[in-house]
Amino acid sequence: MACPKLEKLNQFYEQFSGNDSVLIVINADPDAIASAIAVKRLLWRKVISVTISNINILTRPDNLAMIRILGIKMIYFKDIDISQYNRFIIVDSQPDHNEKFKYIVPSVIIDHHPEKSVLNAPFIDIRSNYGACSTILTEYLIAAKIKPSVRLATALFYAIKVDTNNFERKALLKDIKAFQFLFSFANINLSRQIEHEDLKIDFLKYFKIALNDSYLKKSKVFIHIGEVTNPDICVIIADFFMRVNTINWSVVSGICDGKLVIIFRNDKLIKNAGNLAKRAFSSIGSAGGHINMARAEIPISKIETEVNTKDNKKVLKWIISKIEKN
């Protein structure tokens, strides 16, 4: 009886020939980047060429550190001539996750997010119970009897760590086994270096705003930092305040690209952050997440009649009122 993992690998390989030029298109984050370079390794010497292309502009310091430290090469999607490729792959995403995916017709889709629409591709491997797409690709490498390089193993190791939140989020025993396998080949010091490189010098001014204008209520902190160049700063500040021993909830918001972005963090001992975000904001924007972390994004056009979005104090008061009603 054939091994299911080997069967899946063989089905994957059947999608390609030695004359193919392959483009892997990703919405780049650690899991997507690691999965993409794993696919590139699987196709080494089996196709003419493999290129990785990111549809998003990378701004998060840890993502940039991962690319720099591990020497990962990607080309921004707008700079790609897709006519030069005849096979397309999407990993850690699905076509309806971003409008830019509409420009390609994927031959392969590999992902761990829930399948929300009917997918049409010759090869589809969706495992929504897995904690990381990198776990799926690690299983492919094992089935192919490929010993990962230090660079590849470190990328996959770090990605599983991030996407499972150090195994505090949803994960399977398979995620743990993949993590253990990669541990033998990864450079843990490089992984730690990537993980800790999460601040840019121009982010520091937002910490000053957060410290001066934070609103504390019992064990909760609420902060609105106004216009931001990058919503990732809201994530970093929300995580920072969760390190304060008297805080068990942090809610940090900012305005970027015409949207109010609200980040939720908690210690998992009280309410479910994802459910709270949905109840409070899903009627006017996108909202959801996990038990201890969540996010809401609301178009400014939908709330400008309710609150003066130029007044940070009024926006903060509005956010608190919406949350406290739920």
Side-chain angles (χ1 to χ4, degrees):
M1 185 175 179
C3 170
K5 292 179 182 178
L6 187 56
E7 282 186 355
K8 184 66 75 173
L9 175 69
N10 289 335
Q11 290 168 12
F12 168 78
Y13 277 138
E14 286 170 4
Q15 310 308 314
F16 306 96
S17 74
N19 297 319
D20 289 333
S21 294
V22 180
L23 183 68
I24 306 171
V25 185
I26 60 173
N27 190 358
D29 66 7
D31 197 22
I33 294 167
S35 297
I37 62 174
V39 170
K40 187 172 184 176
R41 175 62 183 87
L42 286 162
L43 293 176
W44 184 50
R45 292 185 175 176
K46 295 185 181 295
V47 296
I48 291 175
S49 68
V50 181
T51 302
I52 301 171
S53 179
N54 51 303
I55 61 172
N56 57 323
I57 297 174
L58 291 167
T59 54
R60 284 187 62 124
D62 51 345
N63 292 347
L64 294 171
M66 180 181 184
I67 291 167
R68 188 187 75 252
I69 291 169
L70 298 181
I72 298 167
K73 294 181 180 179
M74 300 191 300
I75 301 174
Y76 186 42
F77 189 68
K78 284 186 177 179
D79 299 326
I80 289 284
D81 179 1
I82 60 174
S83 68
Q84 300 301 306
Y85 304 90
N86 69 318
R87 289 288 183 272
F88 301 93
I89 300 174
I90 296 175
V91 291
D92 195 39
S93 278
Q94 294 168 39
D96 65 345
H97 288 181
N98 191 293
E99 62 178 11
K100 292 178 183 176
F101 287 128
K102 70 182 180 183
Y103 296 107
I104 64 168
V105 178
S107 302
V108 169
I109 301 170
I110 303 173
D111 190 22
H112 73 120
H113 296 98
E115 191 173 338
K116 292 184 177 179
S117 62
V118 177
L119 300 177
N120 184 23
F123 180 85
I124 298 169
D125 190 358
I126 307 293
R127 309 185 199 179
S128 58
N129 56 338
Y130 276 52
C133 191
S134 290
T135 298
I136 302 172
L137 269 302
T138 300
E139 290 185 355
Y140 278 46
L141 293 170
I142 294 170
K145 296 182 179 179
I146 293 174
K147 176 183 173 182
S149 66
V150 171
R151 182 184 73 135
L152 175 55
T154 303
L156 291 165
F157 176 90
Y158 175 70
I160 294 173
K161 202 166 184 280
V162 169
D163 256 40
T164 62
N165 193 27
N166 289 312
F167 295 95
E168 292 180 9
R169 210 181 296 165
K170 181 188 73 173
L172 296 178
L173 180 59
K174 291 176 181 179
D175 294 294
I176 297 171
K177 286 184 176 179
F179 190 77
Q180 289 174 328
F181 168 78
L182 295 164
F183 184 84
S184 302
F185 305 102
N187 185 319
I188 308 305
N189 288 329
L190 289 182
S191 175
R192 192 173 293 119
Q193 188 178 340
I194 296 166
E195 186 175 3
H196 290 163
E197 195 163 324
D198 61 355
L199 277 180
K200 293 168 68 176
I201 191 69
D202 58 340
F203 281 4
L204 297 181
K205 62 186 177 185
Y206 298 114
F207 276 85
K208 182 178 180 181
I209 296 170
L211 291 168
N212 288 339
D213 299 339
S214 60
Y215 174 74
L216 289 167
K217 190 170 185 180
K218 294 183 180 179
S219 56
K220 301 172 185 167
V221 61
F222 298 90
I223 301 162
H224 178 67
I225 51 181
E227 291 280 349
V228 294
T229 55
N230 186 333
D232 290 339
I233 187 59
C234 299
V235 176
I236 293 169
I237 291 175
D239 288 337
F240 170 80
F241 273 89
M242 287 305 298
R243 296 167 64 183
V244 178
N245 64 358
T246 56
I247 301 296
N248 59 33
W249 266 94
S250 67
V251 179
V252 180
S253 60
I255 294 173
C256 185
D257 295 331
K259 292 181 180 179
L260 173 64
V261 179
I262 308 170
I263 303 299
F264 298 75
R265 292 290 186 267
N266 73 13
D267 60 9
K268 298 187 292 186
L269 296 178
I270 311 176
K271 289 184 178 180
N272 182 303
N275 290 344
L276 178 60
K278 282 182 182 178
R279 290 196 301 270
F281 300 107
S282 62
S283 63
I284 51 175
S286 62
H290 304 277
I291 293 174
N292 65 321
M293 56 178 61
R295 183 186 187 108
E297 293 192 4
I298 305 155
I300 293 300
S301 59
K302 289 195 174 183
I303 62 172
E304 55 191 0
T305 57
E306 287 187 54
V307 60
N308 179 3
T309 55
K310 301 294 184 183
D311 189 321
N312 288 355
K313 290 183 179 179
K314 288 182 178 178
V315 173
L316 182 61
K317 186 177 179 180
W318 179 82
I319 291 171
I320 293 170
S321 69
K322 295 284 285 185
I323 290 172
E324 290 186 339
K325 288 177 183 177
N326 292 277

